[in-house]
Amino acid sequence: MAEQALGKKTWAFAAGHIPLTSTGHEPTFTSHDKIAILNTSAQDADITITIFYEDEGPVEDHVLCVKARRIRKIRFNDLIDPLPLPLDKPFGFIVQSSVAVVVQFSRMDTRSRSAAVFCVTPFHASA
């Protein structure tokens, strides 16, 4: 049975924020925002991420590849080329792909020793 290519070529998220502080051991318990990109197509996905801020222009050209029929997880803390994301500064972002992909956004906030926050955005594939 052939796999159906799921998702869209353009995804937008408005609520990015990497806390300045974390508790626990690094890198496992470092506060972070992360995306998981699922490529179910038979072609590699060329991905461009554009970061938007409240008080300055967008940062374009974070470029990566997700191989055909694979998944790739990217921590925003690790995006350093062309510019690293500043900590404790709200951001939004657009993910653009050469083929349809599914993008899931998650956040882990470990600023408090007594409670860590983890949230995820779901994707619904219509039948």
Side-chain angles (χ1 to χ4, degrees), residues 8 12 18 49 77-78 80 94 96 101 114 119 125:
K8 301 193 178 305
I18 303 168
I49 301 171
N77 309 47
D78 297 335
I80 58 172
I94 294 176
Q96 293 179 297
V101 295
S114 59
C119 63

Side-chain angles (χ1 to χ4, degrees), residues 19-127:
L20 181 62
T21 60
S22 300
T23 60
H25 298 288
E26 293 186 15
T28 307
F29 290 104
T30 301
S31 294
H32 64 268
D33 283 2
K34 177 170 50 178
I35 54 174
I37 302 175
L38 172 64
N39 180 5
T40 62
S41 78
Q43 299 176 353
D44 291 353
D46 296 316
I47 305 290
T48 301
I49 301 171
T50 303
I51 310 293
F52 295 85
Y53 298 104
E54 295 175 329
D55 57 354
E56 60 187 83
V59 176
E60 301 174 325
D61 300 330
H62 290 283
V63 178
L64 54 107
C65 179
V66 179
K67 297 289 186 188
R69 301 173 57 116
R70 299 285 188 268
I71 188 168
R72 182 164 176 190
K73 296 182 180 183
I74 300 100
R75 279 189 184 202
F76 281 88
N77 309 47
D78 297 335
L79 290 177
I80 58 172
D81 184 22
L83 290 172
L85 277 72
L87 300 179
D88 208 28
K89 182 173 184 170
F91 67 94
F93 61 97
I94 294 176
V95 175
Q96 293 179 297
S97 176
S98 60
V99 299
V101 295
V102 174
V103 180
Q104 181 184 49
F105 175 72
S106 64
R107 166 175 297 137
M108 186 166 75
D109 183 344
T110 63
R111 288 178 284 187
S112 171
R113 284 194 178 276
S114 59
V117 175
F118 188 79
C119 63
V120 175
T121 58
F123 171 74
H124 173 71
S126 57

